[in-house]
Amino acid sequence: LLLQSWSNGINEAGKMALLAWEKETGIKLVQINGQRHYGGPPPGWEGGPPPPSTEVYIARLPQDIYENTLIPLFQSVGTLYEFRLMMTFSGLNRGFAYARYASLQDAQRAIATFHRFPLRRGCALVVCWSTQKHELVLSGLPASVGRQELEARLCMVTEGICSVTLHTSPCHRQAKLAVLKYSSHKAAALAKKVLMEGNLRLRKEGVRVDWLDPQLKKKLQLCEEEPSSSCVQEGKSLAVPRPAAMPLLLQNVLECLNAVCWKHHLRTPLFITKCVQVNPNGWQKFWYQVVIPGYHVPVSGFTWVSPDRQGQSKQEKAKVVAALHFLRVLGESLHSQLPAFPKLLSLL
């Protein structure tokens, strides 16, 4: 309560002016994960969204400036489809924003008009094309982590993930790094924020997340993705590459979960899955719940399911994530009684 009172007192006049502007114009701003949104689409918009190439990046904003100043300013040169202002916990802006226009011409006009625009005395804006980054790098991962386990964990805490590749870290041979590719820059930016807040638990502290640097990407492309297994033939070690779309089989995960339940005198798990959202690109968001008679609480959550999983239905993929979630919960509560659990999970 004291912290909330403190944050409410910061830039109080600016916040009151913003509220008055919202009431006067009827504009609704929505704040999610540290970003405050206008539009996407705006009121009265018809047709599909404009291409990502119509988005501009705005930097060097005074932190006490809000949408009541910025939206009318950037609307003056063209039709805004979306405006996103990055926010701090205290209610100040983080000094940068993104404006997506209805056309490429509007975006070009915004850059020509507002780059180096003196918003205040001694405060010139930076306005340029938005770099549409889709890839993140996770470094400092434990050497024992597997791609399928990591992908399942990421699906629990982020949305829009398209692929995960694991590599041996160039700096530390006993650690791994992962390249995460997301469906859009917006999805990747939200995932970066979530992961920076420590929402990914992988049996080790110190996991770091950042945008994938082009030089590192080029270096990793020269090396093959980490093999899933190896065999020896005529004295030579032959790496067997991991198939890109290798599914985590529901049968294997359920066998593991059933074995753990049997060992601890719990009954057969019951699964409930329900599709709650479908994106235009084919991704489906599932709600899931796992109930085990004899265990004190059910486990539930959400996961996004890729449209290109072969040999496995979307419901099966959702069940895989649900089963892995329950295994993690059981592993944390029963770790002292079941020391082999981490090893068992790593074999999936």
Side-chain angles (χ1 to χ4, degrees), residues 78-97:
T79 302
L80 275 180
Y81 174 78
E82 181 182 48
F83 190 90
R84 295 183 288 126
L85 183 63
M86 307 300 115
M87 303 298 297
T88 68
F89 176 78
S90 66
L92 296 174
N93 77 64
R94 293 173 57 194
F96 66 100

Side-chain angles (χ1 to χ4, degrees), residues 10 31 59 64 69 76 81 110 133-134 142 170 177 180 183 226 240 243 253 258 285 311-312:
I10 295 178
Q31 185 163 332
D64 59 348
T69 297
S76 66
Y81 174 78
K133 299 178 181 179
H134 290 220
L177 60 81
L180 319 177
S183 58
E226 180 181 284
V240 182
V253 183
N258 288 335
K285 187 175 185 179
Q312 193 175 32

Side-chain angles (χ1 to χ4, degrees), residues 7 25-26 31-32 56 65 69 71 73 97 112 119 147 203 205 222 226 251 264 281 283 321 339 346:
S7 62
T25 60
Q31 185 163 332
I32 302 174
V56 301
I65 290 288
T69 297
I71 288 178
L73 180 68
L119 189 60
R147 181 182 65 84
R203 299 167 280 168
E205 299 297 330
L222 297 175
E226 180 181 284
Q251 180 182 356
H264 293 275
N281 58 10
W283 285 74
V321 175
S346 69

Side-chain angles (χ1 to χ4, degrees), residues 45-235:
W45 179 269
E46 295 182 0
S53 58
T54 63
E55 185 174 86
V56 301
Y57 170 71
I58 307 157
R60 296 187 184 173
L61 291 171
Q63 284 194 278
D64 59 348
I65 290 288
Y66 296 131
E67 290 89 344
N68 55 319
T69 297
L70 297 172
I71 288 178
L73 180 68
F74 283 89
Q75 274 182 333
S76 66
V77 295
T79 302
L80 275 180
Y81 174 78
E82 181 182 48
F83 190 90
R84 295 183 288 126
L85 183 63
M86 307 300 115
M87 303 298 297
T88 68
F89 176 78
S90 66
L92 296 174
N93 77 64
R94 293 173 57 194
F96 66 100
Y98 296 90
R100 190 171 174 184
Y101 282 90
S103 68
L104 191 64
Q105 291 75 17
D106 287 347
Q108 289 173 330
R109 195 177 302 114
I111 293 173
T113 304
F114 296 123
H115 182 56
R116 297 182 180 175
F117 178 80
L119 189 60
R120 283 182 180 168
R121 184 179 180 87
C123 178
L125 297 180
V126 170
V127 182
C128 59
W129 292 109
S130 172
T131 303
Q132 294 295 311
K133 299 178 181 179
H134 290 220
E135 293 175 304
L136 302 175
V137 59
L138 278 179
S139 56
L141 295 169
S144 59
V145 72
R147 181 182 65 84
Q148 292 166 334
E149 177 193 358
L150 177 59
E151 184 176 358
R153 297 287 182 89
L154 288 165
C155 285
M156 293 179 191
V157 297
T158 69
E159 298 179 358
I161 191 162
C162 297
S163 66
V164 177
T165 56
L166 268 179
H167 306 266
T168 302
S169 173
C171 304
H172 305 285
R173 304 300 296 179
Q174 298 302 315
K176 291 181 182 178
L177 60 81
V179 174
L180 319 177
K181 187 172 182 179
Y182 284 84
S183 58
S184 66
H185 174 73
K186 181 179 176 180
L190 289 174
K192 181 174 181 286
K193 181 179 184 299
V194 168
L195 296 173
M196 287 181 68
E197 291 172 349
N199 291 293
L200 187 69
R201 300 175 183 176
L202 280 168
R203 299 167 280 168
K204 183 180 178 182
E205 299 297 330
V207 177
R208 298 176 300 281
V209 61
D210 209 338
W211 294 109
L212 178 61
D213 181 83
Q215 291 185 345
L216 176 60
K217 182 177 181 178
K218 187 174 181 180
K219 186 175 182 179
L220 293 175
Q221 286 174 341
L222 297 175
C223 307
E224 291 186 3
E225 182 182 351
E226 180 181 284
S228 59
S229 60
S230 63
C231 59
V232 177
Q233 182 179 353
E234 297 179 357

Side-chain angles (χ1 to χ4, degrees), residues 263-274:
K263 182 178 179 66
H264 293 275
H265 311 291
L266 301 172
R267 295 172 63 185
T268 304
L270 305 174
F271 290 85
I272 305 172
T273 60
K274 182 179 180 181

